[in-house]
Structures are given as C-alpha cells and as structure tokens.
Amino acid sequence: MTITSPPKVRAIRALGAAGLSLALLLTGCGREDDDKRSAASDPASGSATGSGAEPGTPQAALAGARWLEGELTDGVLRNRQYGTDDLGSTIDLAYALRAVDPDSDALPAIADVLVAGAAEYASPGEDVYAGSTAKLLSFAADTGADPRDFAGIDLLAQLEERIEDAGPDAGPTAGRAEDKSSFGDYANSFGQAWAVRGLTLAGSEEAEAARDYLLQQQCSDGFFRLYFPGAAAEDQTCDGADAEPEPVDTTALTYVLLHDLAEDDATLDAALRKGIDYILDQQAEDGSFSGGDGAVVPNANSTGLAGWALHLAGEDEAAAQAAAWVRGRQLGECEGVLARDAGAIAFDDTAVRAAGKKGLTKTTEGQWRAATIQALPALLATPDGADEAPCPAGS
C-alpha cells in the first residue's frame, strides 16, 4: 500500500482541511476521460450502516454514512487522481462515522489500515509530521489502542518531541507543535487542536502548554486563526498579528475536538464558548457559512463543521438551520451517473450541477468526500421536512 505523496500533494495536505477545501474547489470542475467509478462506490455493496446508530438518527445522516463506507477500499480512502491512500481523510471519516454510527462495520478495517500505515503517514523517513502524529494519537486514545505502542510507534513520545518546551525559560512558542520535515513546517491550528486532544487523553505533561499555545491563536473576536506566525515572532498571539476574521472551520473543529475536555477546564470552556458565539455571528439567514469576510462561497465544508459544533454546543435552532442547508446539497436517489451516490454531499450548488453531466470523477470525488466527511455529523440535527438536493440535469 502506497501512502507517501509527491511533494505538491504533501504540501497541500499539510495546509489543513480549510486550504484543502479551497484547492478542491478550484480543481473540482476539471474534465477527464470518462472512467467508471468502482463498485465500492455503490452504497448497496458496503456494510450495513445504522445498527449502532442512536434511535431517531436522521435518515440523511445514515445515508451519508453509507455513502462514505462505500468510498472506502479495504478500509482506506484511495485518491485515484494521485494514486495514493489518503490516511488523513480516512481518520476524519472515522470520526464522522463514530459520531453518526459508532458501531459501523467500517471502523475495524479503518483501524487496521491506520496501524499498517502509521509510520509512512506520520513519520516517513527522517520526517515527522506533528499534525499527522496528533491525529493518530487522538485516534488511538479514543479507540482504546495503546498510544505508546501503535504499530510499534510511541505516538505520545513522538508528538511530545514536536511540541516546543515549556517552563521558566521557555520562549513565546512554548507549546507550539512543529513539523520536522524536508518540505518545511506546515503545522497549524488544526493540528494543534488535534495535539491538545491527543496529549490530554494520553495524560501528557505537555498537554497544558499545547492548550495554552492554541488559545493564543484565538482572537478577541472569538475565532481561531488557521496559520501560526513565524517561529521567530516575539508575539505569537492572534491579536498581536491583528488578524482578519477567518472562515469558521478552524473555530468549529477546535470546538468539536475539545468540547468534552472542557468540562473540567474553565479556561478552555470559556474560550470554546466564545468561539461558538463567533460561529453564531457568522451564520447567514439561510443557515449556511462561508468565509469570515464573505470572500468564500457558502459551502458544505464550513457549514457542516459549524453545524456539528453548534449541535454539540446545544445551539439547536442554529444547528438545525445549518443541517437543513447541508441537506439541500445532499444527493438522493438519482439515476444515471449518480445512481451509486445517494447520500453524498456536494461542496456547493455548482458542484451539484456539474455532477449531473459526468458524475463523480477521479478529479472531483475528493471534493465530494471532503464535504461529506466534514458535513455528515451536522446532519444529526436535520429537521423534519428538510429536502435533499434535486437530482441535477443529466442524472
């Protein structure tokens, strides 16, 4: 199994889901030879979903889970465009499935793949990726695996080595996660949030410093910025950089990953609550979310993550509005080239229309997968009567 990626792919992946969503948006309209999607894409050929779902789980969420299960090939998302296995997105998929159907038959196979590919994913050769290690550490801790012996790797020690030391003589970067890579340091707040989760669950002494550095990335407006300042900057804070408002993705993911850890942490709880207030302020009247400055189109990635966070925060009305918007970009039972894609969620309305012509191709399926993964748990708040996307012309 091949997990390593060309430098260009590795660099894009390292930017985090927000940057990846934008990259996929730009490439999602590309044309290609008409190749057929594999039978694995057929929801009917995947495992039965829903046996472990909570009673009353919306059918929209279950349909999305079934589609995601069908996208797996032997437990992993295969990127057909680049011929690589995408373990990062596979972990994200696992968390989405756990939120909707914690007993999904796909989860054991995913766990096996992550064990087999752990070294190539998180620490290939001489490189060590902080965000990838943090995601694996979190997955191990959340699933009851041993974080000190995950495929023979001590994930806890590996991540602790990538966290800047704290203490009396520590500099302004104390607690910051950093990559060790020939491609450069692409660590960001997404990976930092995963690091806080993994280190906390594993009982690391580095957890508090990692949390403190993450909280420095929250501006007074309430949002968490995605990118860190330069390592040499004396002021590492978001306010110190006079950062512009950002899309809600980073703030929403931070809430999703850390809300359960805030029950015994008043400082973290207050920061997360402020983040929810920011998310509420960014919601459009139709329930959707786009960029914090309005520069990004309303999309399922941002709306899905925000809706998931709002659902977990008990903001029921706002969560239902977000879920209804996402539901309106989810495919139902269509014909033709989309016959196997019921439950898939489009990035936006343009993606729905484009899919009617050629279906989900090897250059567009990644965008659909990313949108469905990020938006799936938001559908847990789907209100009665929310309509799916009309089948696009040609399907």
Side-chain angles (χ1 to χ4, degrees):
M1 149 169 50
T2 303
I3 298 170
T4 53
S5 307
K8 180 179 178 182
V9 180
R10 168 57 71 179
I12 291 173
R13 181 182 301 163
L15 292 178
L20 179 60
S21 298
L22 293 176
L24 289 170
L25 173 62
L26 294 174
T27 61
C29 296
R31 300 181 63 84
E32 63 190 68
D33 294 334
D34 184 20
D35 55 354
K36 302 295 184 182
R37 285 163 58 77
S38 68
S41 299
D42 186 353
S45 70
S47 61
T49 305
S51 61
E54 291 292 328
T57 299
Q59 288 301 310
L62 296 177
R66 284 193 293 270
W67 183 78
L68 284 176
E69 286 183 324
E71 289 297 287
L72 294 166
T73 301
D74 297 327
V76 70
L77 288 174
R78 180 74 176 169
N79 186 318
R80 294 191 298 143
Q81 185 176 8
Y82 293 104
T84 58
D85 292 339
D86 188 348
L87 264 68
S89 293
T90 301
I91 296 174
D92 294 335
L93 187 156
Y95 274 86
L97 285 180
R98 281 166 56 87
V100 171
D101 182 10
D103 291 334
S104 167
D105 289 343
L107 291 172
I110 290 174
D112 290 343
V113 166
L114 295 179
V115 169
E120 266 192 283
Y121 170 61
S123 51
E126 298 298 318
D127 294 342
V128 179
Y129 298 110
S132 300
T133 303
K135 289 180 82 167
L136 279 179
L137 175 62
S138 297
F139 181 84
D142 277 319
T143 57
D146 185 354
R148 288 194 173 277
D149 185 11
F150 193 82
I153 302 171
D154 187 338
L155 292 172
L156 180 57
Q158 182 167 294
L159 182 58
E160 287 177 334
E161 290 179 0
R162 304 313 316 148
I163 302 295
E164 283 290 308
D165 291 336
D169 299 324
T173 60
R176 172 172 167 159
E178 294 183 336
D179 291 335
K180 173 189 174 186
S181 172
S182 56
F183 298 119
D185 181 11
Y186 288 97
N188 57 38
S189 292
F190 276 5
Q192 190 77 22
W194 281 105
V196 173
R197 179 168 190 81
L199 292 170
T200 301
L201 292 178
S204 172
E205 294 181 356
E206 304 283 348
E208 184 175 358
R211 181 212 66 174
D212 290 346
Y213 187 82
L214 176 63
L215 295 187
Q216 290 185 58
Q217 307 317 306
Q218 184 177 34
C219 263
S220 56
D221 287 342
F223 68 89
F224 286 82
R225 63 176 173 177
L226 176 58
Y227 298 113
F228 298 156
E234 287 297 322
D235 191 339
Q236 293 282 312
T237 67
C238 183
D239 284 328
D242 196 23
E244 294 293 326
E246 294 191 7
V248 297
D249 300 52
T250 308
T251 305
L253 181 65
T254 298
Y255 188 91
V256 168
L257 290 178
L258 304 183
H259 73 283
D260 57 328
L261 306 182
E263 296 178 1
D264 300 317
D265 187 337
T267 300
L268 178 59
D269 183 67
L272 295 181
R273 183 63 246 180
K274 194 170 185 178
I276 289 294
D277 290 341
Y278 176 79
I279 292 172
L280 288 168
D281 287 343
Q282 300 304 308
Q283 189 169 32
E285 290 185 3
D286 64 359
S288 68
F289 290 85
S290 56
D293 60 358
V296 181
V297 297
N299 63 83
N301 296 54
S302 298
T303 304
L305 276 179
W308 188 4
L310 292 170
H311 177 62
L312 292 172
E315 297 289 348
D316 296 342
E317 181 177 354
Q321 290 175 334
W325 192 93
V326 169
R327 174 63 169 156
R329 281 81 198 160
Q330 183 180 37
L331 296 178
E333 297 291 342
C334 299
E335 299 179 351
V337 292
L338 296 176
R340 292 176 172 174
D341 293 306
I345 299 170
F347 179 83
D348 60 6
D349 293 332
T350 300
V352 175
R353 291 191 294 269
K357 300 177 181 179
K358 298 190 70 174
L360 276 58
T361 66
K362 68 181 181 181
T363 58
T364 63
E365 66 185 4
Q367 187 191 66
W368 283 80
R369 288 171 175 176
T372 306
I373 289 168
Q374 290 186 209
L376 176 63
L379 291 176
L380 292 170
T382 304
D384 293 338
D387 293 327
E388 64 199 23
C391 292
S395 64

